[in-house]
Amino acid sequence: MSLRPRRVDFDQTWATLLQTVKGVITFGSVARSTWNDRFSDVYALCVACPEPLGDRLYQETKLFLENHVKSLHQTVIESNKENLLTVYQQHWEQFSKGSSFLNQLYGYLNTTFIKKQKYSDADLNYGGFTVELTDQMLEIGELALDTWKKYMIEPLKQQLLGLISLEIESDRHGSCMNQSVLHGVITSFVDVEQYKKKLPLQLYEEIFETHFLKETGEYYRSEAAKLRDECSCSEYMEKVIKKLIEEDVRSCKFLHASSHGKVTHECQQRMVADHLRFLHGECREMVGNEKLQDLENMYTLLKPINGGLGVLVKEVEEHIKSFGMEAVRNLKGVDVPAQFVESMLEVHSKYTELIKKVFGTDQQFVGALDKACATAINYKSNPKTPCRSPELLAKYCDNLLKKSSKGSSESEIDDLLGSCITVFKYLDDKDVFQRHYSRMLAKRLIHGQTASMDAEELMINKLKQACGYEFTNKLHRMFTDMNVSNGLQEDFNVYLKEGPTDLGLNFSMLVLQAGAWPLGQSNLPRFAIPQELEKSVSEFEKFYNKKYNGRKLTWMHGLCTAELKMNYLKKPYIVTMGSFQMAVVLMFNETIKVSFSEASQHTQLGEKEMIKQVQSLIDAKLLTTEGTLSTESVFELNMSYVNKRTKFKITAAIQKETPQEMEQARSAVDEDRKMYIQAAIVRIMKARKIFKHNQLIQEVIHQAKARFAPNIAMIKKCIEALIDKQYLERTQNSTDEYSYIA
Amino acid sequence: MKMAVIDPAENEVNKNIWIAVGTWRWVANDDNCGICRMAFDGCCPECKLPGDDCPLVWGECSHCFHIHCIVKWLNSQQVHQLCPMCRQDWKFKE
């Protein structure tokens, strides 16, 4: 067979071709050789001379397809109503497959004759067409589908839709017979326009989806109303969830993938969003009683609804808050710090768990938990007094890190400290915590009460992680000083060995850098050092001044401790006490009785301090006196002192926190805050030059947030102070604006 | 160094160990460093922590600066190394 164009008799060729076409479209059997011959016939027609007959072939084929589909349509509508869908589906199955084969048979016509006239993709996408696209020629396969659409779907659509609705309705009641038919019919709406480049789903959406969504909506509206009448809220939610899942499965079963989301949305609207008020109304009670299953359901339902979760989140927040507040208000009895921290952690971990389990750690709920915890932790029993939480937390850490803390293992301590950080992160007044923490750390270090340096450092690193370098740098410096002091001590020991002097006692010294330690430098009590120690003091000062230039050493006698050996008793006791106590006790090396005034004169201690020291010795039963202690008292050694332990401390009374110390810490915090705020204002103003009052306040609050929540009055005072110091001035043309004075 | 307890008299109280605590601060003729104008109790602008890592030095003219500040100043001087306060030749005080 030659490929050369030749004269072809159209009618004759078409007649034979038609036979095969019929066979193909009805999916009958066609022999391979016949197929090949007909393929050549198509070719021959297309290239026939003198005139190519492609156009005519196309028209004839089109006519044939129209007639074929029309006759199919007849058979479909003649079938009885129950079978209509099945019949339609069968014919469609056959037709769609047949047409794809037909398309191949007409391969040459498609590629040469029709492609040329088609619009390219670019034309379709970017060309502003006003011409009806249906006018153009289609490939034969497409032509077949288009014909099906025109002569089958269009006239039949009302009937089809009605039947589909019925089928789906019965599926919803759990009795659908022929799912594959239904699926086939619905997909025929999609497939029939699949070839279109633009809006391939248009037909499906127009004739089927819109209608279906409306019906679904109606159906579930009435279902929901029915359920509302019959069920309690928790049942309602369960049933709705079940229905949603079922409907989801159903849409996967029958519908095109593009509809799934729309169907789900429609169902949610009808069954959840329309009943939002009802559901929200139930939230409070569910949260209050912590009905986990109900809450989980509620969350599942409300989550996809726009603005649905707000009420639930709020309720959860309120609930957690009320629990936290309850715990904070009920703090009393012994060991308040532990109670506070532990109850807060309990609330926190309980609800973290709950949010994880019920709400899948949804960020909105985590946020609610954070807010609730912050409110509870920063709760003030009295709005005028500062919040006690930072102090309590610091005290709790102190107890953990001190020696003899119930002998917890290292990893336990580690965990507990970690949980302290959890609470710490919620504190508004982090600076207050830092104050107290550093004060307690100083005591631990100076009095050697630290249980483990590793644990101490761990905690500081945790704080650093949470709050940054600046927050902990003073704490770090305290550690450095301890190390420096150790080195110094060794040097001093070497110095002593080389020198001729013997101090007569085991002397060790901590030299701390004044600025880094929270030790009051002012109003140190007056104190004359016992002469037994004078040599140590002068030797060390000599040593120190030789080693360092330009440094002034101040002795903090209140913080010194001494270990004394009591040889006057039946057994020798070794007692650790403070320097002031020691000074009093050492007087008894000379005499048997000491009067108050003698002691005062000897030690130079003030009256108040003296009473405190002597009282502590009397309480420890080392000294005796008649009656209550007064400035007239005379005291003597208790010669019949007995203690089970031969080594003990009586420093506790002296080292105990005094209310004044707490007070001092608080006022120091206020001073620090003022400085911090002023620095912040200057920084801001230096950058902005001119700034509005309100904006300035906002900015300061923002900058201070990581450390504390500043109050507005304090910021205003700081602004005033800076105006007085001529860092700022009010601008002339506006009352609420400041400018920076360079 | 452990002190031995010598045979004590009947009513003797022996002091054994004394752990003393003291604090130190710089004693300078001024509150601020004349170069960086930062307090001597603080550190120079280059340092983060005051204390042993950012010490003070005195010149023979008795003026005192952060060591980092005065070294930087001396390095920037081409001809004579003068004290920035009194313009005398700068010599570190031993």
Side-chain angles (χ1 to χ4, degrees):
Chain A
M1 192 202 100
S2 142
L3 290 176
R4 193 177 318 140
R6 58 194 160 94
R7 189 174 292 275
V8 185
D9 178 359
F10 182 82
D11 291 328
Q12 196 193 351
T13 321
W14 170 242
T16 40
L17 183 58
L18 188 60
Q19 289 308 311
T20 317
V21 168
K22 268 184 190 156
V24 171
I25 204 80
T26 53
F27 219 49
S29 73
V30 175
R32 175 159 292 272
S33 58
T34 329
W35 173 275
N36 286 345
D37 288 350
R38 294 301 86 79
F39 192 85
S40 321
D41 286 343
V42 172
Y43 170 78
L45 288 171
C46 290
V47 296
C49 58
E51 285 283 300
L53 296 165
D55 200 23
R56 208 165 146 203
L57 177 62
Y58 182 82
Q59 293 307 335
E60 288 293 339
T61 313
K62 190 173 170 190
L63 195 67
F64 161 74
L65 284 172
E66 277 170 13
N67 289 331
H68 179 64
V69 172
K70 274 178 190 161
S71 77
L72 287 180
H73 179 230
Q74 271 311 311
T75 32
V76 171
I77 48 176
E78 273 162 19
S79 64
N80 61 16
K81 221 179 149 200
E82 288 95 73
N83 281 340
L84 190 132
L85 284 178
T86 327
V87 176
Y88 170 88
Q89 202 265 337
Q90 276 165 1
H91 284 299
W92 161 250
E93 194 87 347
Q94 201 183 51
F95 182 83
S96 63
K97 277 189 192 148
S99 61
S100 78
F101 286 120
L102 195 64
N103 197 41
Q104 287 170 23
L105 186 66
Y106 279 78
Y108 191 77
L109 182 79
N110 288 342
T111 46
T112 55
F113 189 70
I114 295 169
K115 274 270 167 67
K116 276 184 213 151
Q117 305 176 34
K118 268 189 128 178
Y119 302 108
S120 71
D121 286 356
D123 290 336
L124 285 173
N125 285 333
Y126 305 111
F129 281 111
T130 45
V131 245
E132 266 302 306
L133 287 171
T134 44
D135 285 347
Q136 64 165 325
M137 283 178 132
L138 300 166
E139 287 182 21
I140 297 304
E142 300 169 0
L143 179 72
L145 294 176
D146 190 54
T147 318
W148 181 270
K149 185 180 100 182
K150 275 198 195 121
Y151 299 101
M152 181 66 99
I153 294 179
E154 291 292 341
L156 206 59
K157 71 179 175 197
Q158 286 313 324
Q159 245 174 314
L160 283 175
L161 278 184
L163 287 168
I164 293 173
S165 302
L166 280 177
E167 284 291 320
I168 288 186
E169 178 109 16
S170 67
D171 187 71
R172 280 180 187 141
H173 293 110
S175 61
C176 183
M177 310 304 161
N178 31 18
Q179 297 180 355
S180 60
V181 172
L182 199 54
H183 179 246
V185 175
I186 294 171
T187 29
S188 77
F189 300 143
V190 181
D191 291 344
V192 87
E193 289 214 317
Q194 203 70 90
Y195 66 87
K196 277 197 180 175
K197 296 224 168 56
K198 225 175 186 182
L199 303 173
L201 290 173
Q202 196 180 21
L203 179 78
Y204 168 75
E205 278 166 7
E206 266 174 15
I207 74 166
F208 174 71
E209 195 185 63
T210 333
H211 176 76
F212 177 75
L213 286 178
K214 217 175 99 204
E215 280 213 333
T216 311
E218 285 301 326
Y219 174 76
Y220 283 110
R221 189 198 304 283
S222 71
E223 279 296 295
K226 223 159 55 192
L227 286 176
R228 277 282 303 273
D229 287 344
E230 289 166 3
C231 308
S232 71
C233 181
S234 72
E235 287 167 335
Y236 177 80
M237 290 192 300
E238 265 169 39
K239 296 215 162 116
V240 167
I241 288 177
K242 210 168 127 223
K243 281 187 189 303
L244 283 173
I245 293 172
E246 281 172 7
E247 194 58 32
D248 220 31
V249 172
R250 194 165 295 124
S251 52
C252 287
K253 222 157 52 178
F254 298 133
L255 306 186
H256 186 256
S258 66
S259 304
H260 297 172
K262 296 183 202 164
V263 173
T264 317
H265 178 74
E266 182 69 22
C267 295
Q268 282 163 351
Q269 285 300 316
R270 295 291 82 81
M271 291 192 287
V272 184
D274 288 356
H275 300 274
L276 218 49
R277 189 175 292 178
F278 163 64
L279 292 172
H280 282 166
E282 298 284 329
C283 286
R284 177 175 302 235
E285 201 237 326
M286 276 175 205
V287 174
N289 296 330
E290 294 186 16
K291 294 182 178 163
L292 299 189
Q293 186 55 48
D294 286 351
L295 286 175
E296 198 176 330
N297 290 342
M298 185 67 91
Y299 174 69
T300 318
L301 289 180
L302 293 181
K303 189 175 180 236
I305 308 297
N306 191 8
L309 278 178
V311 173
L312 185 56
V313 173
K314 197 80 207 146
E315 287 297 340
V316 170
E317 186 186 322
E318 285 300 323
H319 180 66
I320 302 174
K321 195 156 84 186
S322 73
F323 255 77
M325 293 297 222
E326 180 89 11
V328 177
R329 283 203 196 98
N330 287 339
L331 294 177
K332 57 171 170 267
V334 281
D335 208 3
V336 172
Q339 260 184 49
F340 165 73
V341 176
E342 277 155 20
S343 60
M344 283 301 123
L345 283 174
E346 196 189 326
V347 170
H348 183 262
S349 63
K350 177 179 168 194
Y351 288 102
T352 310
E353 192 55 31
L354 186 141
I355 286 171
K356 190 172 146 204
K357 219 170 74 193
V358 177
F359 304 122
T361 318
D362 187 301
Q363 278 313 306
Q364 292 189 60
F365 289 93
V366 176
L369 172 69
D370 287 348
K371 254 196 226 161
C373 286
T375 319
I377 286 174
N378 295 305
Y379 169 74
K380 292 178 185 170
S381 51
N382 173 355
K384 293 226 176 74
T385 58
C387 175
R388 286 181 65 212
S389 306
E391 200 178 312
L392 293 176
L393 182 63
K395 189 76 203 145
Y396 180 74
C397 296
D398 185 48
N399 289 339
L400 280 181
L401 293 165
K402 249 188 201 160
K403 261 181 201 162
S404 81
S405 69
K406 294 173 246 151
S408 318
S409 79
E410 208 156 289
S411 68
E412 273 169 9
I413 298 261
D414 191 1
D415 287 348
L416 288 171
L417 291 177
S419 49
C420 287
I421 296 289
T422 312
V423 177
F424 168 74
K425 282 184 181 157
Y426 289 118
L427 286 180
D428 278 345
D429 300 331
K430 295 195 172 60
D431 57 339
V432 181
F433 171 83
Q434 190 221 34
R435 262 285 150 184
H436 289 289
Y437 188 86
S438 67
R439 199 164 47 85
M440 292 171 192
L441 173 65
K443 285 208 162 168
R444 285 199 298 277
L445 291 175
I446 291 174
H447 298 310
Q449 290 167 327
T450 295
S452 137
M453 274 311 215
D454 287 347
E456 290 282 2
E457 233 156 298
L458 188 83
M459 183 63 187
I460 290 183
N461 283 333
K462 279 182 200 284
L463 288 172
K464 188 156 98 181
Q465 261 170 24
C467 239
Y469 175 78
E470 207 191 332
F471 190 77
T472 52
N473 82 33
K474 278 197 178 172
L475 306 180
H476 276 295
R477 279 157 66 187
M478 286 157 69
F479 277 100
T480 326
D481 272 358
M482 292 308 282
N483 291 334
V484 171
S485 290
N486 283 341
L488 202 62
Q489 181 65 41
E490 277 164 29
D491 291 354
F492 182 55
N493 286 346
V494 172
Y495 167 87
L496 281 181
K497 255 187 205 153
E498 286 166 356
T501 29
D502 179 19
L503 299 181
L505 66 123
N506 189 344
F507 172 83
S508 70
M509 175 86 190
L510 296 173
V511 185
L512 315 173
Q513 199 186 317
W517 293 69
L519 308 169
Q521 296 289 312
S522 52
N523 59 46
L524 293 172
R526 255 183 325 140
F527 179 57
I529 198 149
Q531 110 208 25
E532 288 91 335
L533 296 173
E534 264 166 16
K535 205 148 76 178
S536 308
V537 170
S538 59
E539 278 303 316
F540 188 81
E541 278 184 348
K542 227 195 279 173
F543 159 78
Y544 194 77
N545 284 331
K546 206 169 130 196
K547 191 168 167 71
Y548 295 107
N549 228 334
R551 295 190 182 190
K552 185 166 168 276
L553 203 56
T554 311
W555 294 77
M556 309 292 286
H557 290 294
L559 296 170
C560 303
T561 46
E563 218 175 279
L564 300 184
K565 189 159 183 181
M566 308 290 190
N567 289 321
Y568 59 92
L569 296 166
K570 278 192 192 119
K571 287 194 283 185
Y573 290 100
I574 294 176
V575 188
T576 308
M577 58 178 77
S579 283
F580 299 153
Q581 289 169 318
M582 173 187 65
V584 177
V585 173
L586 284 178
M587 289 176 75
F588 291 95
N589 276 341
E590 313 296 329
T591 57
I592 302 187
K593 286 187 179 182
V594 175
S595 72
F596 193 95
S597 57
E598 278 169 345
S600 302
Q601 206 178 13
H602 186 77
T603 61
Q604 294 285 307
L605 282 174
E607 188 183 305
K608 239 184 177 171
E609 192 64 38
M610 195 67 201
I611 289 186
K612 191 173 137 194
Q613 301 300 331
V614 175
Q615 187 64 53
S616 72
L617 290 167
I618 292 172
D619 290 345
K621 301 212 171 61
L622 285 172
L623 296 188
T624 53
T625 183
E626 277 169 33
T628 48
L629 184 65
S630 71
T631 45
E632 307 300 320
S633 295
V634 174
F635 22 94
E636 49 192 306
L637 282 177
N638 177 4
M639 299 304 281
S640 52
Y641 182 82
V642 197
N643 194 334
K644 272 186 211 142
R645 305 167 66 170
T646 51
K647 198 173 174 186
F648 58 94
K649 288 180 182 178
I650 55 165
T651 46
I654 309 294
Q655 288 169 9
K656 226 176 83 185
E657 306 249 87
T658 57
Q660 291 98 308
E661 268 184 297
M662 301 267 201
E663 203 38 59
Q664 265 173 15
R666 279 184 198 130
S667 62
V669 164
D670 266 357
E671 277 314 302
D672 278 1
R673 284 188 178 185
K674 275 180 200 149
M675 293 316 287
Y676 187 92
I677 292 175
Q678 291 191 5
I681 294 173
V682 170
R683 269 199 305 274
I684 295 164
M685 290 307 294
K686 201 168 178 177
R688 308 276 185 164
K689 304 294 180 226
I690 290 179
F691 214 35
K692 284 254 191 269
H693 176 78
N694 285 339
Q695 286 171 305
L696 180 60
I697 300 243
Q698 285 311 315
E699 192 79 355
V700 170
I701 291 178
H702 180 75
Q703 288 201 6
K705 208 165 57 186
R707 291 170 145 258
F708 60 97
N711 72 36
I712 310 270
M714 191 187 266
I715 303 179
K716 280 185 183 157
K717 264 189 205 147
C718 290
I719 296 176
E720 291 297 329
L722 288 172
I723 291 175
D724 287 347
K725 287 188 207 163
Q726 297 197 319
Y727 280 91
L728 309 179
E729 63 184 1
R730 286 179 221 277
T731 51
Q732 281 171 350
N733 38 17
S734 172
T735 47
D736 63 342
E737 214 173 42
Y738 306 104
S739 71
Y740 180 71
I741 304 173
Chain B
M1 248 173 85
K2 259 247 147 70
M3 201 195 89
V5 183
I6 332 144
D7 183 31
E10 179 69 4
N11 62 349
E12 182 91 337
V13 179
N14 267 333
K15 63 253 168 265
N16 237 358
I17 298 173
W18 188 42
I19 303 167
V21 180
T23 58
W24 66 269
R25 54 169 72 243
W26 300 107
V27 267
N29 44 10
D30 202 352
D31 289 338
N32 301 326
C33 167
I35 297 175
C36 67
R37 307 301 299 160
M38 299 299 279
F40 283 131
D41 274 342
C43 56
C44 80
E46 313 284 305
C47 288
K48 278 196 161 157
L49 293 180
D52 298 311
D53 294 335
C54 186
L56 306 189
V57 284
W58 283 260
E60 280 190 348
C61 56
S62 89
H63 286 117
C64 163
F65 307 99
H66 289 119
I67 189 163
H68 299 141
C69 297
I70 188 69
V71 167
K72 208 163 145 193
W73 162 259
L74 294 176
N75 285 341
S76 70
Q77 297 300 295
Q78 313 277 324
V79 197
H80 299 293
Q81 302 211 312
L82 305 176
C83 168
M85 301 292 270
C86 60
R87 303 277 159 198
Q88 297 181 49
D89 268 350
W90 176 268
K91 288 214 178 71
F92 284 104
K93 193 158 115 188
E94 284 305 310

